[in-house]
């Protein structure tokens, strides 16, 4: 069997044989379990790396590292990262140099450091915990690896994540030094920082920059991640150059596409400095962390080029502000504070006469003929965001004066940017494809450095799917109007516009605004948005964005929504720039810059009441709200503008499966045109919602077939009580037909499709879907918790039907009854026996018995073996005879036997732990011939006391400690002349019982002094 231990062996073998780590077994490693640093290794490394420093300085540095301030995990981890990168500063009094820097790691020469991996590394802090593998560099625990069984379905990679989070609380000091953690279930493998939520634990899919990307989930995934991240040189590079704390809160670690892509970009820029100044283009799709990639690039260039000047150029104020904010949050990492140029004069002041360093942000519009020369330096790097859009205009346009017929050469902003910085090196970033029509980004910036497309981002979990829903027919926009819109869109160009073209465009758009803003049409659009949102709002956090055609139309939409749905008034916000031309009422709604920032903060807060944002241009680029999942578009957009806008809803968020684009203006063909410029596999990456509907109808047909002969026709119009009865009958039907696994699989597919296409279904179909999901939820609930809280479940079902909305099925499943020590009381068993749905009763009963046996597995080796085998035999006999009544009767008898076994210990005044030893001592039949019950009882109590007094961590796995404990146990038993001569092996069972209880840490507290209640109170019980 492939167990956690097997996976651990694979990991250790890889670390040792392929990555060259020194491997050590934690059970054989004698150390202070309260310390997480290998002090001897650290001390030796500090002396080796700092041979010129005296011993007292080294020891002072060691103390600073070992006794790091732990006011909070984040601050401690951040402080340690500074120690790693900058060294430890030790003040020296009475000397010319006020302080000395003690180097902790030699990043430039990895072989000068010691790399070690220890499995089952025991740590005691709040309690005792034992991570599977810990990776040390110079005695410092930089990486924690948590492994789960590859063959147990109930042991998932998510369990590994939860275990890491538990460790961060229970053995927090270990994570003061943590660079990142790795979790794997043998099939999947991910890594994450101390601040990462589960959805931000990411895969690492490349071993090096030239190796293929590994997408398939299989055992190779853990190998790829480890060889990609734990290669000695790369581990140190990730720690030093690709890790930082954003705003001192979130620890950011580069993904594999950022790591390899930015290292390629750094090399490309350095080559271009002495070449043609074209550093190349990075094409990383929207939502893949492009701003953070720019931070990593800048940090690398600062280090490799000895602090050059970096100018980040965008073409929109909001984008400039957003990227500047990202860089500002990384000021410590960049070792300087980025500065945003507020005006052309401010930009000139920042750049001219500067000789070194600085990170400056500006919009390209600040570069005009008047800007002139700012600097001739060769160590200026220009990073151009959205390189496809605003960075052309180097070659002139011809402008002809109609009156004088004179021709004049007109240039774009990019020409003046290069005039201002003639010797700068340029590198471009784009989130959309780069060779659109006749404009060649490559001609301006150089060759493609790295591509990370939409499909790969979705495969990696960096973004979620996008789905498209056309609602044009709902608002009856005439075909001739669509033709006019199409013509206008064909005329719209987003770069190189002369003033004359802009004026003409404004006049043309006034006509379009009158058509699109027609009052009757707007009423139809708003009515449909409200109906659509009513269905969508409970699927996630209810965050939606409406993109309006113009400021005037946006304001009118805002008014109509408040009029038609007053309950939404506190939940909507109008987001656009203010204008002196607005009337006072509109100005009051739009507000100022501070008001817009407050709205942005509220919209990003998943728990705020601000649910619907109405925008025109703002928030369509560089604005990330992960819980935003629906975008209603009533504005003409094309090419990169369209792709950037819809990418607002592709961000990863908890259980979010996809972002939905709802089209009221006829964007379908523009979407296809835009996707045609992407990679081949991206071209069909935004499916229409009808495809999800086709999947749903197929699954519905399969499920209807599974329920052939089952009449749920009354479900639509039934009372809540009647509906609940039908749901229970549905559960009984599935269990009786032994179709549970197949049923659950098809309902999961049904639900996944429903979450995408619910708004395209009528009420009747939505209610029918709710029936199947309610049946699934009940089955999973019973199998997980045994006894459902029926009243709460009924209310959940009623709420679902009322809205014909199915949220995540787990929300229904999560209704839990009050937990008791045992649900096998006489009262409960009588109710289970009286249930008319026998298959449901059998499922509940089997779950309750399995739960009790699992408890025995951690406490009583004799009872767990006996009852586990008994339940297995009962189920096997049922599978052969198929008599459900016999199965229930035999399980009821077994439940009574379990309760009697528990009562037996209580009657003898034994705790469960003491009773476990009593059972182990008395297991051989001949024992009771030699010993009275009282003597066995006394021996059991003495054994508990002995173990509690003499236990040490890992005694049952460490050979020396285990030998000592065995000796103590045998010595105690010998006083009672146990075992009898004719059963010499009886002692081994007692030893195994001790090992079992120690494994589950039953002696961490005074558990052995407590008693155990016999029966449940009978609360939260299922009533047929």
């Amino acid at each position: 069997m492939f167990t956690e231990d097997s996976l651990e062996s694979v990991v250790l073998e890889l670390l040792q044989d392929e990555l060259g780590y020194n491997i050590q077994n934690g059970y054989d490693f004698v150390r202070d379990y309260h310390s997480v640093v290998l002090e001897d290794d650290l001390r030796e490394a500090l002396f080796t790396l700092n041979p010129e420093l005296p011993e007292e300085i080294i020891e002072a540095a060691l103390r600073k590292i070992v006794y790091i301030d732990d006011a909070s995990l984040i601050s401690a981890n951040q402080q340690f990262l500074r120690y790693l990168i900058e060294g430890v500063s030790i003040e020296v009094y009475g000397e010319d140099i006020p302080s000395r820097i003690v180097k902790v790691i030699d990043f430039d020469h990895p072989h000068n450091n010691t790399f070690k991996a220890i499995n089952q590394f025991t740590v005691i802090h709040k309690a005792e915990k034992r991570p599977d593998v810990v990776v040390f560099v110079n005695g410092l625990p930089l990486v924690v690896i948590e492994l789960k069984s590859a063959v147990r379905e109930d042991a998932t990679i998510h369990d590994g994540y939860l275990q890491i989070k538990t460790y961060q609380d229970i053995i927090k000091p270990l994570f003061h030094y943590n660079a990142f953690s790795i979790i794997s279930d043998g099939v999947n493998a991910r890594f994450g920082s101390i601040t990462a939520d589960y959805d931000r634990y990411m895969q690492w899919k490349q071993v090096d920059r030239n190796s293929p990307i590994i997408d398939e989930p299989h055992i190779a995934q853990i190998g790829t991640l480890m060889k990609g991240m734990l290669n000695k040189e790369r581990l140190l590079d990730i720690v030093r150059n690709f890790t930082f704390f954003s705003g001192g809160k979130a620890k950011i670690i580069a993904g594999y596409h950022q790591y390899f892509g930015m290292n390629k970009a750094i090399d490309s820029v350095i080559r271009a400095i002495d070449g043609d100044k074209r550093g190349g283009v990075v094409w990383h799709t929207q939502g893949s962390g492009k701003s953070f990639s720019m931070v990593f690039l800048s940090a690398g260039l600062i280090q490799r080029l000895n602090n050059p000047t970096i100018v980040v150029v965008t073409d929109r104020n909001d984008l400039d502000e957003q990227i500047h904010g990202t860089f500002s949050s990384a000021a410590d990492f960049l070792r300087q504070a980025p500065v945003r140029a507020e005006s052309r004069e401010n930009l000139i002041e920042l750049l001219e006469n500067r000789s070194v360093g600085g990170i400056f942000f500006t919009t390209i519009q600040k570069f005009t003929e008047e800007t002139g020369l700012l600097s001739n330096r060769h160590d200026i790097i220009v990073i151009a965001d959205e390189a496809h859009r605003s960075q052309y205009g180097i070659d002139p346009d011809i402008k002809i004066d109609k009156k004088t017929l004179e021709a004049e050469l007109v240039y774009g902003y990019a020409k003046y940017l290069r005039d201002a910085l003639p010797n700068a090196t340029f590198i471009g970033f784009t989130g959309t494809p780069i060779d659109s029509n006749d404009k060649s980004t490559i001609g301006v910036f150089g060759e493609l450095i790295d591509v990370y497309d939409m499909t790969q981002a979705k495969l990696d979990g960096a973004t979620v799917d996008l789905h498209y829903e056309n609602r044009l027919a709902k608002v009856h926009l005439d075909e001739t109007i669509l033709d006019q819109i199409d013509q206008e869109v064909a005329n719209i160009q987003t770069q190189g516009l002369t003033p004359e073209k802009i004026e003409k465009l404004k006049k043309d758009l006034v006509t379009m605004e009158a058509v699109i803003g027609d009052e009757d049409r707007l009423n139809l659009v708003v009515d449909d948005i409200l109906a659509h949102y009513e269905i969508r709002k409970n699927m996630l956090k209810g965050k939606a964005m409406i993109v309006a055609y113009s400021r005037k139309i946006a304001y009118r939409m805002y008014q109509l929504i408040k009029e038609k749905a007053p309950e939404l008034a506190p939940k909507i916000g109008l987001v656009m720039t203010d204008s002196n031309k607005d009337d006072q009422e509109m100005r009051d709604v739009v507000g100022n810059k501070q008001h817009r920032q407050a709205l942005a903060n509220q919209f990003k807060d998943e728990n705020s009441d601000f649910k619907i944002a109405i925008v025109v241009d703002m928030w369509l680029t560089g604005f990330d709200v992960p819980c935003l999942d629906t975008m209603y578009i009533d504005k003409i957009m094309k090419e990169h503008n369209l792709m950037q806008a819809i990418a607002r809803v592709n961000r990863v968020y908890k259980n979010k499966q996809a972002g939905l684009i709802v089209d009221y203006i006829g964007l379908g063909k523009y979407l296809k045109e835009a996707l045609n410029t992407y990679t081949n596999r991206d071209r069909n990456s935004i499916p229409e919602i009808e495809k999800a509907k086709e999947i749903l109808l197929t699954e519905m047909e399969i499920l209807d077939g599974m329920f052939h002969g089952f009449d749920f026709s009354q479900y639509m119009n039934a009372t809540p009580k009647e509906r609940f009865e039908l749901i229970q009958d549905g559960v009984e039907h599935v269990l009786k037909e032994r179709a549970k696994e197949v049923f659950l699989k098809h309902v999961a597919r049904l639900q996944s499709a429903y979450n995408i296409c619910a708004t395209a279904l009528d009420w009747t179909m939505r209610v029918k879907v709710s029936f199947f999901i309610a049946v699934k939820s009940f089955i999973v609930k019973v199998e997980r918790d045994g006894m459902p809280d029926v009243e709460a479940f009924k209310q959940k079902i009623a709420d679902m039907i009322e809205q014909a909305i199915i949220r995540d099925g787990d929300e229904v499943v999560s209704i839990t009854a009050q937990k008791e020590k045992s649900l096998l009381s006489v009262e409960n068993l009588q109710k289970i026996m009286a249930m008319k749905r026998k298959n449901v009763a059998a499922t509940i009963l089997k779950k309750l018995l399995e739960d009790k046996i699992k408890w025995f597995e951690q406490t009583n080796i004799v009872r767990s073996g006996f009852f586990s085998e008994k339940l297995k035999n009962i189920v096997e006999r049922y599978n052969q005879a198929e008599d459900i009544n016999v199965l229930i009767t035999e399980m009821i008898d077994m439940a009574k036997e379990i309760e009697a076994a528990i009562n037996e210990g209580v009657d003898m005044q034994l705790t469960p732990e003491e009773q476990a030893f009593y059972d182990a001592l008395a297991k051989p039949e001949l024992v009771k011939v030699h010993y009275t019950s009282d003597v066995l009882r006394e021996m059991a109590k003495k054994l508990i006391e002995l173990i509690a007094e003499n236990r040490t961590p890992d005694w049952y796995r460490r050979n020396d400690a285990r030998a000592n404990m065995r000796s103590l146990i045998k010595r105690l038993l010998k006083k009672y002349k146990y075992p009898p001569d004719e059963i010499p092996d009886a002692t081994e069972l007692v030893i195994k019982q001790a090992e079992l209880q120690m494994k589950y840490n039953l002696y961490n507290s005074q558990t052995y002094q407590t008693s155990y209640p016999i029966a449940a109170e009978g609360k939260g019980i299922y009533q047929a």
Side-chain angles (χ1 to χ4, degrees), residues 777-933:
S777 298
F778 198 97
I779 291 173
V780 176
K781 169 69 187 173
V782 166
E783 293 221 323
R784 193 187 70 180
D785 291 336
M787 303 294 282
D789 181 337
V790 171
E791 291 308 314
F793 197 97
K794 279 182 180 177
Q795 185 56 51
K796 265 298 182 199
I797 298 297
D799 292 343
M800 281 177 13
I801 305 306
E802 183 182 341
Q803 301 179 64
I805 293 290
I806 311 300
R807 303 189 190 184
D808 191 325
D810 288 343
E811 183 154 341
V812 176
V813 173
S814 67
I815 308 165
T816 56
Q818 180 178 337
K819 297 290 184 184
E820 294 93 5
K821 295 289 184 184
S822 170
L823 284 169
L824 298 178
S825 65
V826 173
E827 181 186 1
N828 288 359
L829 295 180
Q830 287 174 343
K831 289 180 178 179
I832 291 172
M833 288 176 70
M835 288 173 62
K836 63 183 180 182
R837 298 175 182 90
K838 299 304 180 184
N839 286 279
V840 175
T843 302
I844 291 174
L845 193 50
K846 183 169 176 284
K847 170 62 178 172
L848 296 179
L849 291 173
E850 287 172 341
D851 284 349
K852 182 53 66 178
I853 291 170
K854 283 181 181 177
W855 179 79
F856 276 130
E857 285 173 356
Q858 297 183 15
T859 56
N860 192 315
I861 196 168
V862 174
R863 303 279 181 174
S864 69
F866 173 76
F867 287 123
S868 179
E869 188 65 26
K870 186 159 191 169
L871 181 60
K872 179 183 174 184
N873 291 334
I874 290 172
V875 173
E876 284 180 355
R877 286 199 301 274
Y878 163 68
N879 288 335
Q880 293 172 1
E882 297 193 8
D883 189 332
I884 192 70
N885 291 308
V886 171
L887 174 66
I888 291 175
T889 300
E890 292 195 5
M891 287 198 295
I892 289 285
D893 289 342
M894 181 176 166
K896 293 176 181 177
E897 195 174 343
I898 288 175
E899 288 296 297
I902 294 173
N903 288 334
E904 181 184 326
V906 175
D907 292 341
M908 290 191 292
Q909 296 186 318
L910 295 174
T911 67
E913 294 80 11
E914 291 166 348
Q915 184 186 357
F917 273 112
Y918 180 94
D919 292 339
L921 289 163
K923 173 72 163 59
E925 287 298 321
L926 289 174
V927 164
K928 293 184 179 179
V929 175
H930 298 275
Y931 305 95
T932 65
S933 179

Side-chain angles (χ1 to χ4, degrees), residues 598-661:
L599 286 178
N601 294 338
Q602 290 175 43
F603 203 60
K604 289 181 179 183
D605 178 3
E606 62 183 46
N607 297 313
S608 75
D609 287 336
F610 184 12
K611 301 296 184 184
I612 305 174
I614 304 174
V615 307
V616 180
D617 294 307
M618 296 189 73
W619 292 8
L620 295 182
T621 58
F623 185 73
D624 291 346
V625 180
C627 60
L628 173 64
D629 80 323
T630 309
M631 176 176 278
Y632 301 99
I633 301 180
D634 196 35
K635 176 184 179 179
I636 301 164
M637 290 185 285
K638 194 177 181 183
E639 295 180 353
H640 51 267
N641 287 330
L642 174 58
M643 299 308 295
Q644 285 174 326
I646 65 178
R648 296 314 100 207
V649 292
N650 78 346
R651 300 313 194 250
V652 173
Y653 174 77
K654 294 181 182 175
N655 296 319
K656 179 176 169 182
Q657 295 176 326
L660 180 61
I661 310 302

Side-chain angles (χ1 to χ4, degrees), residues 37 105 138 170 178 236 238 271 294 407 409 448 500 505 540 679 728 734 740 810 871 878 888 918:
V37 174
I105 285 182
N138 294 345
I170 304 299
N178 183 258
L236 298 188
I238 291 170
R271 285 194 301 270
M294 290 182 185
L409 297 182
L448 271 173
E500 288 78 12
L505 181 60
L540 194 61
T679 59
Q728 294 175 80
V734 171
K740 183 192 73 178
D810 288 343
L871 181 60
Y878 163 68
I888 291 175
Y918 180 94

